[in-house]
Amino acid sequence: MEDEDLIQREDMVVTVSHAGYVKRVPLSTYRAQPAWRQGPRRHADARGGFRHPPVRASTHAPVLFFSSRGQVYKEKVWRLPLAAPQARARR
């Protein structure tokens, strides 16, 4: 038995900032809005860098991160730091 076997499968939203900070937020924390209403617009994070588009993924899905040196890092979503939608991401 491994640690991953104990993690429940759940849909998450993964956010990566321009500065390389990452976080995951449960999809269930976001509520549906009518089509005519616009949600909060946050084009920049607190550190001044823009955010890449959020990605929807399962907790057991692998995410690939590409460095500026051409290296690729693979990490499971459940290993990323869990945070609130308004919280700052961690490196």
Side-chain angles (χ1 to χ4, degrees), residues 3-84:
D3 291 342
E4 187 171 353
D5 298 332
L6 302 174
I7 304 297
Q8 181 180 0
R9 290 186 186 273
E10 185 180 0
D11 286 333
M12 296 282 175
V13 176
V14 178
T15 305
V16 180
S17 71
H18 180 66
Y21 293 91
V22 65
K23 70 176 177 178
R24 68 182 164 109
V25 180
L27 186 63
S28 60
T29 60
Y30 294 100
R31 61 178 187 254
Q33 296 183 28
W36 54 268
R37 184 173 174 204
Q38 294 180 0
R41 294 185 180 208
R42 296 188 57 179
H43 295 287
D45 63 4
R47 293 180 181 90
F50 65 89
R51 291 185 180 187
H52 296 285
V55 177
R56 180 180 175 182
S58 172
T59 50
H60 291 269
V63 179
L64 299 177
F65 298 99
F66 297 88
S67 73
S68 59
R69 296 180 183 170
Q71 295 179 329
V72 179
Y73 300 97
K74 177 181 164 184
E75 195 67 60
K76 296 278 185 154
V77 173
W78 67 270
R79 290 186 174 266
L80 300 176
L82 183 64

